[in-house]
Amino acid sequence: MKEDYVVCRCEEITLQEIKSAIKQGAITLDEIKKYTRAGMGLCQGRICSTIIIEILKEHGYLPQYSAPPHSRIPVRPVKIWEYIGEDQDV
Amino acid sequence: MYKRFADAIIIGGGVTGTAITYYLSKTGIQPILIEESNLNAGASGACDEGIVLQSKHTGIMLDMVLKSAKLYKTLEDELNYPIGYRNVGGMIIINEEKYIPVIETFIKKQQQQGLNIHMLHPSDIHKQQPGLSKKVVASAFSKDDCNVYPFKLTLGYVEAAKRLGAKVLLHNRVNNITINKNTLGDKRRELRITTNEHEILTPIVVDATGCGSRQIGKMLGLEIPVFPSRGQIVITEQIPPLIKHQIMDAKFIVAKHKPQLVEKNNALSNLNVGLTIGQAETGNTLIGGCREQVGYNTSTSFSTIREIVKNAADFFPFMKDVSIIRSFAGLRPTTPDNLPILSQTPIPRFYIASGLGGDGLSLSPIVGKIMADLIMKGNCNIVDISQLSLDRFFNIG
Ligand SMILES: Cc1cc2nc3c(=O)[nH]c(=O)nc-3n(C[C@H](O)[C@H](O)[C@H](O)COP(=O)(O)OP(=O)(O)OC[C@H]3O[C@@H](n4cnc5c(N)ncnc54)[C@H](O)[C@@H]3O)c2cc1C
């Protein structure tokens, strides 16, 4: 992988940015996300998570450090009107 | 176990601890910052982006935030780091006629203390913030409210402090603090910090652990009354720049001053939900907010998230067609009187900077400066911090 390879396409975060976050001390998926925004975009890390875990492993961090970030509401992007239901008086 | 010395130790890698590390480093000493997980693991990684002046009560809180706002103006240059500081201006929006006099009185006092704030003319409200529902009948506006990106702010403080000689120990939990009895007169060895990896002797320790403070206090036999107050935030997809300002529902302020005016018998107020909304530089909007007393639980709940987005659609009808992509919850480190603790303690050279509640981001540079003064000079001339001392909770009468 080249340094300018885009690891997270939603937020446009490159391999180089991931590596520099690891250098600054980020060693889990959640920490990489906070340092770089990788995984914060529309797909919520569905695509880039596995790549980032591989990069972490290459840097010597054990898979148990790579617990996935909390899965939280919503599971997929949802329009607010769908979420609150059409019966609601808004 | 590595044994070492440090000029000072700061515990907690949130906005408070990193700011203190930076301002202490500037005085010429070389502190070590210790964080059990990573930067922004606590409230500072689960908050909005607001440097909000107009929500502060007159007196010491407004005094501190005014001084903080001034420091923020030059902070990005000073740290030489892109912290995402933006002067967006802020609105406190009112959707109930009966709230108007409360807010008018509130801002009159703020103006007297020097805050740049005014009520918008009703015909200007929707020009100032297009897209706002016609239900909004009045609004205060302060052009001095700002945004800053907390993840970059802490990194900015840390990188600048490191250049001055500070060190950072991540993934180190402070498990114990003890007082060294037999130091042979060597002040450098007075306090002993034990983490999962290190043992460090130091003359100065600062607790900046937010909701971890009670735990830290127990290690030294101190009662530090800081309790969690949960907030939940919903993030939307990136949209064009439509939310121009940092916006807050007047209900939050009215609930404090005239609680009897705020309806208690509907779902929204039971959850203590009042809209906060802002749009990040990326285009994502951040919608909050609520205050829930649920202990140390940081999960999000379907019912609260639903109330929050319903509220957003109510105030901004166009938001109905915007998608939400994520939610999270954070714990505000809150004290019984809602004022922070910036204080010395009965233990010489053990200090506390905690209990910043919902204001820690707004106050971070001034808190860093106050603590650096308190630690290095023994007192602080910036504001009268006697009101923020730990012993205020125990000196009754
Ligand atoms: C939903 C929400 C929205 C908010 N919005 C705003 C806003 O718009 N503007 C604003 O000004 N404020 C806001 N706040 C408040 C703000 O987030 C907090 O006041 C601030 O982040 C507190 O920072 P802190 O550094 O004091 O504590 P924290 O950020 O909680 O940091 C404490 C750190 O200490 C570490 N720690 C704890 N125990 C130990 C130990 N034993 N050893 C080592 N490390 C330890 C933790 O891991 C943590 O990283 C909001 C808060 C919430 C929850």
Side-chain angles (χ1 to χ4, degrees):
Chain A
M1 267 192 280
K2 283 209 293 243
E3 293 292 294
D4 59 359
Y5 175 83
V6 179
V7 175
C8 165
R9 273 188 257 164
C10 303
E11 296 288 326
E12 297 177 8
I13 308 299
T14 63
L15 176 61
Q16 192 202 338
E17 286 169 276
I18 306 282
K19 281 186 177 170
S20 94
I22 294 173
K23 220 180 235 157
Q24 282 177 305
I27 60 170
T28 67
L29 263 188
D30 198 39
E31 292 175 9
I32 295 277
K33 175 167 138 186
K34 285 181 175 169
Y35 273 69
T36 65
R37 297 190 62 83
M40 280 196 190
L42 206 55
C43 91
Q44 289 292 297
R46 260 169 220 96
I47 297 166
C48 63
S49 293
T50 47
I51 309 174
I52 296 172
I53 288 174
E54 283 314 308
I55 303 171
L56 281 168
K57 281 189 190 161
E58 266 172 35
H59 283 78
Y61 296 108
L62 303 170
Q64 77 243 32
Y65 273 116
S66 295
H70 306 283
S71 292
R72 285 184 163 156
I73 305 166
V75 180
R76 61 173 176 85
V78 183
K79 295 260 193 243
I80 286 182
W81 69 262
E82 291 178 78
Y83 201 80
I84 56 187
E86 280 182 307
D87 56 318
Q88 291 302 315
D89 174 27
V90 285
Chain B
M1 211 42 100
Y2 307 96
K3 206 165 189 160
R4 55 205 281 186
F5 296 97
D7 290 347
I9 285 180
I10 295 98
I11 316 171
V15 289
T16 307
T18 54
I20 297 169
T21 305
Y22 169 65
Y23 283 97
L24 261 185
S25 301
K26 269 180 55 162
T27 70
I29 68 168
Q30 301 186 330
I32 298 182
L33 172 71
I34 302 183
E35 162 56 49
E36 76 172 304
S37 161
N38 208 316
L39 303 178
N40 302 74
S44 307
C47 57
D48 292 301
E49 301 189 357
I51 300 170
V52 185
L53 285 72
Q54 59 176 318
S55 62
K56 305 298 175 286
H57 290 242
T58 45
I60 190 157
M61 287 303 272
L62 186 57
D63 188 16
M64 283 199 294
V65 82
L66 284 167
K67 288 171 175 157
S68 202
K70 211 165 181 186
L71 291 172
Y72 263 122
K73 280 192 179 144
T74 52
L75 194 61
E76 197 152 43
D77 284 344
E78 189 182 325
L79 298 176
N80 193 15
Y81 203 87
I83 59 173
Y85 174 79
R86 292 178 302 142
N87 183 201
V88 292
M91 291 172 86
I92 291 200
I93 51 175
I94 303 174
N95 67 340
E96 301 246 18
E97 297 278 350
K98 62 186 178 189
Y99 294 169
I100 297 176
V102 185
I103 297 297
E104 279 178 346
T105 317
F106 186 65
I107 72 172
K108 197 163 281 164
K109 287 195 203 144
Q110 291 178 318
Q111 285 165 340
Q112 283 162 2
Q113 211 183 309
L115 178 65
N116 192 344
I117 185 169
H118 63 277
M119 291 297 278
L120 289 172
H121 191 276
S123 65
D124 289 341
I125 298 170
H126 299 86
K127 277 184 227 154
Q128 189 73 45
Q129 177 55 66
L132 203 52
S133 154
K134 294 280 181 271
K135 288 180 192 166
V136 174
V137 290
S139 174
F141 181 77
S142 171
K143 76 173 186 32
D144 290 345
D145 286 347
C146 294
N147 277 175
V148 66
Y149 188 52
F151 296 116
K152 293 292 177 198
L153 176 66
T154 50
L155 276 172
Y157 282 134
V158 160
E159 292 301 321
K162 279 189 191 164
R163 289 195 293 271
L164 295 166
K167 299 228 154 46
V168 180
L169 288 180
L170 300 174
H171 306 105
N172 269 261
R173 182 175 195 281
V174 171
N175 289 323
N176 207 3
I177 310 173
T178 51
I179 304 168
N180 262 353
K181 291 270 156 39
N182 187 11
T183 61
L184 302 169
D186 184 355
K187 278 211 174 114
R188 291 188 309 148
R189 299 159 184 268
E190 266 176 6
L191 295 161
R192 180 199 307 268
I193 295 265
T194 317
T195 75
N196 42 303
E197 286 177 355
H198 295 270
E199 187 181 291
I200 310 175
L201 300 177
T202 180
I204 298 163
V205 174
V206 187
D207 163 43
T209 60
C211 289
S213 285
R214 284 187 72 209
Q215 206 62 42
I216 295 285
K218 280 190 191 135
M219 298 173 190
L220 289 161
L222 293 175
E223 165 74 20
I224 307 176
V226 176
F227 304 92
S229 162
R230 186 172 74 181
Q232 301 190 36
I233 294 182
V234 181
I235 310 283
T236 71
E237 63 183 315
Q238 301 179 350
I239 58 173
L242 292 169
I243 311 285
K244 287 163 56 187
H245 307 292
Q246 185 65 38
I247 292 171
M248 185 186 239
D249 188 342
K251 208 176 99 184
F252 271 126
I253 289 160
V254 178
K256 274 194 187 166
H257 291 261
K258 285 248 158 80
Q260 66 275 23
L261 286 185
V262 178
E263 297 276 344
K264 271 274 173 264
N265 56 358
N266 62 43
L268 291 184
S269 50
N270 283 343
L271 286 164
N272 213 345
V273 175
L275 181 71
T276 61
I277 187 165
Q279 187 166 10
E281 218 165 3
T282 50
N284 302 95
T285 65
L286 285 73
I287 318 171
C290 59
R291 286 166 192 272
E292 305 163 297
Q293 311 314 318
V294 290
Y296 293 86
N297 178 349
T298 57
S299 35
T300 56
S301 65
F302 183 84
S303 56
T304 308
I305 297 292
R306 190 165 181 279
E307 292 309 324
I308 287 174
V309 295
K310 186 164 176 281
N311 216 14
D314 215 18
F315 277 109
F316 285 98
F318 76 82
M319 291 293 291
K320 270 186 271 188
D321 289 315
V322 174
S323 288
I324 61 177
I325 62 172
R326 167 170 90 247
S327 65
F328 56 77
L331 305 175
R332 300 179 189 86
T334 308
T335 67
D337 61 7
N338 289 313
L339 288 176
I341 306 172
L342 305 180
S343 181
Q344 293 168 315
T345 67
I347 292 154
R349 287 175 289 284
F350 173 74
Y351 301 87
I352 302 169
S354 186
L356 282 129
D359 306 312
L361 187 62
S362 309
L363 296 176
S364 81
I366 197 68
V367 167
K369 241 184 150 177
I370 288 171
M371 294 309 291
D373 263 19
L374 182 62
I375 294 164
M376 301 308 288
K377 297 185 192 156
N379 58 37
C380 157
N381 304 326
I382 305 169
V383 295
D384 172 21
I385 54 167
S386 63
Q387 301 168 61
L388 308 178
S389 73
L390 177 66
D391 58 19
R392 73 181 188 269
F393 299 108
F394 308 106
N395 286 346
I396 306 151

PDB file of all heavy atoms in Angstrom, chain B residues 311-339:
ATOM      1  N   ASN B 311     -37.094  16.868  18.506  1.00  0.00           N
ATOM      2  CA  ASN B 311     -36.909  18.253  18.891  1.00  0.00           C
ATOM      3  C   ASN B 311     -36.213  19.044  17.779  1.00  0.00           C
ATOM      4  O   ASN B 311     -36.578  20.180  17.470  1.00  0.00           O
ATOM      5  CB  ASN B 311     -36.051  18.258  20.158  1.00  0.00           C
ATOM      6  CG  ASN B 311     -36.435  19.346  21.112  1.00  0.00           C
ATOM      7  OD1 ASN B 311     -37.498  19.947  20.973  1.00  0.00           O
ATOM      8  ND2 ASN B 311     -35.584  19.599  22.084  1.00  0.00           N
ATOM      9  N   ALA B 312     -35.212  18.422  17.160  1.00  0.00           N
ATOM     10  CA  ALA B 312     -34.477  19.081  16.075  1.00  0.00           C
ATOM     11  C   ALA B 312     -35.411  19.347  14.896  1.00  0.00           C
ATOM     12  O   ALA B 312     -35.402  20.434  14.305  1.00  0.00           O
ATOM     13  CB  ALA B 312     -33.294  18.217  15.628  1.00  0.00           C
ATOM     14  N   ALA B 313     -36.242  18.373  14.555  1.00  0.00           N
ATOM     15  CA  ALA B 313     -37.160  18.528  13.430  1.00  0.00           C
ATOM     16  C   ALA B 313     -38.235  19.568  13.746  1.00  0.00           C
ATOM     17  O   ALA B 313     -38.763  20.224  12.852  1.00  0.00           O
ATOM     18  CB  ALA B 313     -37.801  17.186  13.095  1.00  0.00           C
ATOM     19  N   ASP B 314     -38.529  19.700  15.028  1.00  0.00           N
ATOM     20  CA  ASP B 314     -39.512  20.662  15.471  1.00  0.00           C
ATOM     21  C   ASP B 314     -38.993  22.091  15.281  1.00  0.00           C
ATOM     22  O   ASP B 314     -39.695  22.969  14.803  1.00  0.00           O
ATOM     23  CB  ASP B 314     -39.748  20.401  16.963  1.00  0.00           C
ATOM     24  CG  ASP B 314     -41.183  20.639  17.341  1.00  0.00           C
ATOM     25  OD1 ASP B 314     -42.027  20.667  16.432  1.00  0.00           O
ATOM     26  OD2 ASP B 314     -41.441  20.791  18.551  1.00  0.00           O
ATOM     27  N   PHE B 315     -37.754  22.325  15.643  1.00  0.00           N
ATOM     28  CA  PHE B 315     -37.155  23.650  15.514  1.00  0.00           C
ATOM     29  C   PHE B 315     -36.646  23.923  14.100  1.00  0.00           C
ATOM     30  O   PHE B 315     -36.592  25.059  13.662  1.00  0.00           O
ATOM     31  CB  PHE B 315     -35.989  23.810  16.498  1.00  0.00           C
ATOM     32  CG  PHE B 315     -36.410  24.191  17.884  1.00  0.00           C
ATOM     33  CD1 PHE B 315     -36.321  23.289  18.935  1.00  0.00           C
ATOM     34  CD2 PHE B 315     -36.903  25.463  18.147  1.00  0.00           C
ATOM     35  CE1 PHE B 315     -36.695  23.652  20.226  1.00  0.00           C
ATOM     36  CE2 PHE B 315     -37.281  25.843  19.422  1.00  0.00           C
ATOM     37  CZ  PHE B 315     -37.180  24.924  20.475  1.00  0.00           C
ATOM     38  N   PHE B 316     -36.209  22.850  13.409  1.00  0.00           N
ATOM     39  CA  PHE B 316     -35.699  22.993  12.040  1.00  0.00           C
ATOM     40  C   PHE B 316     -36.417  21.991  11.143  1.00  0.00           C
ATOM     41  O   PHE B 316     -35.910  20.890  10.919  1.00  0.00           O
ATOM     42  CB  PHE B 316     -34.185  22.734  11.985  1.00  0.00           C
ATOM     43  CG  PHE B 316     -33.354  23.848  12.525  1.00  0.00           C
ATOM     44  CD1 PHE B 316     -32.873  23.802  13.824  1.00  0.00           C
ATOM     45  CD2 PHE B 316     -33.058  24.954  11.738  1.00  0.00           C
ATOM     46  CE1 PHE B 316     -32.107  24.851  14.324  1.00  0.00           C
ATOM     47  CE2 PHE B 316     -32.293  26.002  12.233  1.00  0.00           C
ATOM     48  CZ  PHE B 316     -31.825  25.944  13.532  1.00  0.00           C
ATOM     49  N   PRO B 317     -37.592  22.360  10.605  1.00  0.00           N
ATOM     50  CA  PRO B 317     -38.370  21.395   9.826  1.00  0.00           C
ATOM     51  C   PRO B 317     -37.567  20.721   8.702  1.00  0.00           C
ATOM     52  O   PRO B 317     -37.795  19.549   8.414  1.00  0.00           O
ATOM     53  CB  PRO B 317     -39.513  22.240   9.280  1.00  0.00           C
ATOM     54  CG  PRO B 317     -39.681  23.330  10.295  1.00  0.00           C
ATOM     55  CD  PRO B 317     -38.302  23.634  10.805  1.00  0.00           C
ATOM     56  N   PHE B 318     -36.603  21.428   8.094  1.00  0.00           N
ATOM     57  CA  PHE B 318     -35.858  20.794   6.988  1.00  0.00           C
ATOM     58  C   PHE B 318     -35.027  19.606   7.461  1.00  0.00           C
ATOM     59  O   PHE B 318     -34.618  18.761   6.663  1.00  0.00           O
ATOM     60  CB  PHE B 318     -34.980  21.815   6.247  1.00  0.00           C
ATOM     61  CG  PHE B 318     -33.726  22.217   6.975  1.00  0.00           C
ATOM     62  CD1 PHE B 318     -32.593  21.408   6.922  1.00  0.00           C
ATOM     63  CD2 PHE B 318     -33.659  23.403   7.706  1.00  0.00           C
ATOM     64  CE1 PHE B 318     -31.428  21.764   7.600  1.00  0.00           C
ATOM     65  CE2 PHE B 318     -32.505  23.768   8.380  1.00  0.00           C
ATOM     66  CZ  PHE B 318     -31.385  22.948   8.333  1.00  0.00           C
ATOM     67  N   MET B 319     -34.766  19.523   8.756  1.00  0.00           N
ATOM     68  CA  MET B 319     -33.944  18.428   9.275  1.00  0.00           C
ATOM     69  C   MET B 319     -34.618  17.062   9.130  1.00  0.00           C
ATOM     70  O   MET B 319     -33.957  16.030   9.190  1.00  0.00           O
ATOM     71  CB  MET B 319     -33.604  18.665  10.756  1.00  0.00           C
ATOM     72  CG  MET B 319     -32.653  19.808  11.036  1.00  0.00           C
ATOM     73  SD  MET B 319     -30.958  19.563  10.433  1.00  0.00           S
ATOM     74  CE  MET B 319     -30.401  18.263  11.508  1.00  0.00           C
ATOM     75  N   LYS B 320     -35.946  17.078   8.929  1.00  0.00           N
ATOM     76  CA  LYS B 320     -36.663  15.805   8.781  1.00  0.00           C
ATOM     77  C   LYS B 320     -36.092  14.954   7.655  1.00  0.00           C
ATOM     78  O   LYS B 320     -36.105  13.732   7.719  1.00  0.00           O
ATOM     79  CB  LYS B 320     -38.149  16.070   8.491  1.00  0.00           C
ATOM     80  CG  LYS B 320     -38.978  16.152   9.754  1.00  0.00           C
ATOM     81  CD  LYS B 320     -40.441  16.261   9.443  1.00  0.00           C
ATOM     82  CE  LYS B 320     -40.814  17.722   9.283  1.00  0.00           C
ATOM     83  NZ  LYS B 320     -42.266  17.926   9.163  1.00  0.00           N
ATOM     84  N   ASP B 321     -35.579  15.606   6.628  1.00  0.00           N
ATOM     85  CA  ASP B 321     -35.064  14.873   5.473  1.00  0.00           C
ATOM     86  C   ASP B 321     -33.562  14.614   5.541  1.00  0.00           C
ATOM     87  O   ASP B 321     -32.957  14.167   4.576  1.00  0.00           O
ATOM     88  CB  ASP B 321     -35.392  15.642   4.181  1.00  0.00           C
ATOM     89  CG  ASP B 321     -36.867  15.579   3.890  1.00  0.00           C
ATOM     90  OD1 ASP B 321     -37.437  14.476   4.012  1.00  0.00           O
ATOM     91  OD2 ASP B 321     -37.452  16.636   3.585  1.00  0.00           O
ATOM     92  N   VAL B 322     -32.982  14.912   6.682  1.00  0.00           N
ATOM     93  CA  VAL B 322     -31.553  14.669   6.872  1.00  0.00           C
ATOM     94  C   VAL B 322     -31.391  13.328   7.588  1.00  0.00           C
ATOM     95  O   VAL B 322     -32.196  12.970   8.444  1.00  0.00           O
ATOM     96  CB  VAL B 322     -30.937  15.825   7.702  1.00  0.00           C
ATOM     97  CG1 VAL B 322     -29.486  15.544   8.039  1.00  0.00           C
ATOM     98  CG2 VAL B 322     -31.078  17.146   6.945  1.00  0.00           C
ATOM     99  N   SER B 323     -30.343  12.579   7.209  1.00  0.00           N
ATOM    100  CA  SER B 323     -30.131  11.269   7.837  1.00  0.00           C
ATOM    101  C   SER B 323     -29.235  11.367   9.054  1.00  0.00           C
ATOM    102  O   SER B 323     -28.258  12.127   9.057  1.00  0.00           O
ATOM    103  CB  SER B 323     -29.476  10.300   6.851  1.00  0.00           C
ATOM    104  OG  SER B 323     -30.392   9.916   5.869  1.00  0.00           O
ATOM    105  N   ILE B 324     -29.553  10.576  10.071  1.00  0.00           N
ATOM    106  CA  ILE B 324     -28.637  10.479  11.206  1.00  0.00           C
ATOM    107  C   ILE B 324     -27.725   9.270  10.960  1.00  0.00           C
ATOM    108  O   ILE B 324     -28.160   8.247  10.433  1.00  0.00           O
ATOM    109  CB  ILE B 324     -29.384  10.380  12.559  1.00  0.00           C
ATOM    110  CG1 ILE B 324     -30.286   9.151  12.645  1.00  0.00           C
ATOM    111  CG2 ILE B 324     -30.239  11.613  12.757  1.00  0.00           C
ATOM    112  CD1 ILE B 324     -30.964   9.019  13.999  1.00  0.00           C
ATOM    113  N   ILE B 325     -26.450   9.439  11.302  1.00  0.00           N
ATOM    114  CA  ILE B 325     -25.507   8.342  11.009  1.00  0.00           C
ATOM    115  C   ILE B 325     -24.899   7.724  12.255  1.00  0.00           C
ATOM    116  O   ILE B 325     -24.370   6.635  12.218  1.00  0.00           O
ATOM    117  CB  ILE B 325     -24.368   8.781  10.053  1.00  0.00           C
ATOM    118  CG1 ILE B 325     -23.503   9.884  10.654  1.00  0.00           C
ATOM    119  CG2 ILE B 325     -24.928   9.214   8.700  1.00  0.00           C
ATOM    120  CD1 ILE B 325     -22.250  10.206   9.819  1.00  0.00           C
ATOM    121  N   ARG B 326     -24.968   8.410  13.360  1.00  0.00           N
ATOM    122  CA  ARG B 326     -24.317   7.873  14.561  1.00  0.00           C
ATOM    123  C   ARG B 326     -24.851   8.599  15.784  1.00  0.00           C
ATOM    124  O   ARG B 326     -25.362   9.705  15.690  1.00  0.00           O
ATOM    125  CB  ARG B 326     -22.803   8.106  14.419  1.00  0.00           C
ATOM    126  CG  ARG B 326     -21.981   7.904  15.651  1.00  0.00           C
ATOM    127  CD  ARG B 326     -20.478   7.907  15.362  1.00  0.00           C
ATOM    128  NE  ARG B 326     -19.876   9.221  15.434  1.00  0.00           N
ATOM    129  CZ  ARG B 326     -19.381   9.861  14.399  1.00  0.00           C
ATOM    130  NH1 ARG B 326     -19.459   9.347  13.191  1.00  0.00           N
ATOM    131  NH2 ARG B 326     -18.839  11.047  14.539  1.00  0.00           N
ATOM    132  N   SER B 327     -24.689   7.968  16.940  1.00  0.00           N
ATOM    133  CA  SER B 327     -25.025   8.644  18.189  1.00  0.00           C
ATOM    134  C   SER B 327     -23.990   8.245  19.227  1.00  0.00           C
ATOM    135  O   SER B 327     -23.326   7.234  19.086  1.00  0.00           O
ATOM    136  CB  SER B 327     -26.415   8.226  18.663  1.00  0.00           C
ATOM    137  OG  SER B 327     -26.432   6.859  18.997  1.00  0.00           O
ATOM    138  N   PHE B 328     -23.828   9.075  20.232  1.00  0.00           N
ATOM    139  CA  PHE B 328     -22.943   8.688  21.332  1.00  0.00           C
ATOM    140  C   PHE B 328     -23.382   9.388  22.607  1.00  0.00           C
ATOM    141  O   PHE B 328     -24.235  10.277  22.583  1.00  0.00           O
ATOM    142  CB  PHE B 328     -21.471   8.976  21.013  1.00  0.00           C
ATOM    143  CG  PHE B 328     -21.170  10.404  20.657  1.00  0.00           C
ATOM    144  CD1 PHE B 328     -21.084  11.381  21.637  1.00  0.00           C
ATOM    145  CD2 PHE B 328     -20.968  10.768  19.329  1.00  0.00           C
ATOM    146  CE1 PHE B 328     -20.791  12.704  21.314  1.00  0.00           C
ATOM    147  CE2 PHE B 328     -20.673  12.089  18.997  1.00  0.00           C
ATOM    148  CZ  PHE B 328     -20.594  13.050  19.980  1.00  0.00           C
ATOM    149  N   ALA B 329     -22.810   8.936  23.708  1.00  0.00           N
ATOM    150  CA  ALA B 329     -23.156   9.532  24.992  1.00  0.00           C
ATOM    151  C   ALA B 329     -21.886   9.860  25.752  1.00  0.00           C
ATOM    152  O   ALA B 329     -20.872   9.185  25.599  1.00  0.00           O
ATOM    153  CB  ALA B 329     -24.014   8.568  25.803  1.00  0.00           C
ATOM    154  N   GLY B 330     -21.930  10.913  26.533  1.00  0.00           N
ATOM    155  CA  GLY B 330     -20.779  11.302  27.345  1.00  0.00           C
ATOM    156  C   GLY B 330     -21.237  11.679  28.741  1.00  0.00           C
ATOM    157  O   GLY B 330     -22.411  12.011  28.950  1.00  0.00           O
ATOM    158  N   LEU B 331     -20.309  11.620  29.677  1.00  0.00           N
ATOM    159  CA  LEU B 331     -20.641  11.939  31.070  1.00  0.00           C
ATOM    160  C   LEU B 331     -20.018  13.262  31.470  1.00  0.00           C
ATOM    161  O   LEU B 331     -18.795  13.398  31.501  1.00  0.00           O
ATOM    162  CB  LEU B 331     -20.132  10.826  31.994  1.00  0.00           C
ATOM    163  CG  LEU B 331     -20.606   9.406  31.670  1.00  0.00           C
ATOM    164  CD1 LEU B 331     -19.930   8.404  32.595  1.00  0.00           C
ATOM    165  CD2 LEU B 331     -22.128   9.301  31.757  1.00  0.00           C
ATOM    166  N   ARG B 332     -20.877  14.242  31.768  1.00  0.00           N
ATOM    167  CA  ARG B 332     -20.351  15.530  32.247  1.00  0.00           C
ATOM    168  C   ARG B 332     -19.930  15.359  33.696  1.00  0.00           C
ATOM    169  O   ARG B 332     -20.730  14.916  34.516  1.00  0.00           O
ATOM    170  CB  ARG B 332     -21.435  16.609  32.183  1.00  0.00           C
ATOM    171  CG  ARG B 332     -22.004  16.869  30.804  1.00  0.00           C
ATOM    172  CD  ARG B 332     -23.094  17.950  30.896  1.00  0.00           C
ATOM    173  NE  ARG B 332     -23.806  18.091  29.637  1.00  0.00           N
ATOM    174  CZ  ARG B 332     -24.845  17.361  29.273  1.00  0.00           C
ATOM    175  NH1 ARG B 332     -25.303  16.424  30.083  1.00  0.00           N
ATOM    176  NH2 ARG B 332     -25.431  17.559  28.109  1.00  0.00           N
ATOM    177  N   PRO B 333     -18.694  15.749  34.004  1.00  0.00           N
ATOM    178  CA  PRO B 333     -18.261  15.646  35.401  1.00  0.00           C
ATOM    179  C   PRO B 333     -18.842  16.801  36.223  1.00  0.00           C
ATOM    180  O   PRO B 333     -18.404  17.934  36.086  1.00  0.00           O
ATOM    181  CB  PRO B 333     -16.731  15.746  35.311  1.00  0.00           C
ATOM    182  CG  PRO B 333     -16.419  16.299  33.956  1.00  0.00           C
ATOM    183  CD  PRO B 333     -17.635  16.261  33.104  1.00  0.00           C
ATOM    184  N   THR B 334     -19.847  16.515  37.022  1.00  0.00           N
ATOM    185  CA  THR B 334     -20.667  17.564  37.617  1.00  0.00           C
ATOM    186  C   THR B 334     -20.560  17.580  39.144  1.00  0.00           C
ATOM    187  O   THR B 334     -20.502  16.531  39.770  1.00  0.00           O
ATOM    188  CB  THR B 334     -22.137  17.327  37.202  1.00  0.00           C
ATOM    189  OG1 THR B 334     -22.179  17.191  35.781  1.00  0.00           O
ATOM    190  CG2 THR B 334     -23.029  18.481  37.600  1.00  0.00           C
ATOM    191  N   THR B 335     -20.528  18.786  39.718  1.00  0.00           N
ATOM    192  CA  THR B 335     -20.467  18.908  41.183  1.00  0.00           C
ATOM    193  C   THR B 335     -21.849  19.286  41.730  1.00  0.00           C
ATOM    194  O   THR B 335     -22.712  19.731  40.970  1.00  0.00           O
ATOM    195  CB  THR B 335     -19.480  20.013  41.604  1.00  0.00           C
ATOM    196  OG1 THR B 335     -20.012  21.274  41.173  1.00  0.00           O
ATOM    197  CG2 THR B 335     -18.101  19.802  41.001  1.00  0.00           C
ATOM    198  N   PRO B 336     -22.046  19.155  43.052  1.00  0.00           N
ATOM    199  CA  PRO B 336     -23.362  19.464  43.635  1.00  0.00           C
ATOM    200  C   PRO B 336     -23.808  20.901  43.384  1.00  0.00           C
ATOM    201  O   PRO B 336     -25.007  21.159  43.260  1.00  0.00           O
ATOM    202  CB  PRO B 336     -23.165  19.204  45.127  1.00  0.00           C
ATOM    203  CG  PRO B 336     -22.047  18.211  45.196  1.00  0.00           C
ATOM    204  CD  PRO B 336     -21.140  18.526  44.037  1.00  0.00           C
ATOM    205  N   ASP B 337     -22.900  21.882  43.309  1.00  0.00           N
ATOM    206  CA  ASP B 337     -23.344  23.258  43.068  1.00  0.00           C
ATOM    207  C   ASP B 337     -23.074  23.712  41.623  1.00  0.00           C
ATOM    208  O   ASP B 337     -23.167  24.898  41.312  1.00  0.00           O
ATOM    209  CB  ASP B 337     -22.705  24.235  44.073  1.00  0.00           C
ATOM    210  CG  ASP B 337     -21.177  24.266  43.981  1.00  0.00           C
ATOM    211  OD1 ASP B 337     -20.606  23.630  43.060  1.00  0.00           O
ATOM    212  OD2 ASP B 337     -20.556  24.931  44.828  1.00  0.00           O
ATOM    213  N   ASN B 338     -22.761  22.766  40.744  1.00  0.00           N
ATOM    214  CA  ASN B 338     -22.542  23.053  39.324  1.00  0.00           C
ATOM    215  C   ASN B 338     -21.389  24.008  39.043  1.00  0.00           C
ATOM    216  O   ASN B 338     -21.307  24.577  37.960  1.00  0.00           O
ATOM    217  CB  ASN B 338     -23.814  23.606  38.666  1.00  0.00           C
ATOM    218  CG  ASN B 338     -24.866  22.530  38.532  1.00  0.00           C
ATOM    219  OD1 ASN B 338     -24.565  21.411  38.087  1.00  0.00           O
ATOM    220  ND2 ASN B 338     -26.075  22.824  38.956  1.00  0.00           N
ATOM    221  N   LEU B 339     -20.511  24.206  39.998  1.00  0.00           N
ATOM    222  CA  LEU B 339     -19.301  24.989  39.750  1.00  0.00           C
ATOM    223  C   LEU B 339     -18.124  24.022  39.757  1.00  0.00           C
ATOM    224  O   LEU B 339     -18.131  23.026  40.474  1.00  0.00           O
ATOM    225  CB  LEU B 339     -19.093  26.040  40.854  1.00  0.00           C
ATOM    226  CG  LEU B 339     -20.028  27.248  40.872  1.00  0.00           C
ATOM    227  CD1 LEU B 339     -19.724  28.122  42.088  1.00  0.00           C
ATOM    228  CD2 LEU B 339     -19.899  28.064  39.591  1.00  0.00           C
TER     229      LEU B 339
END
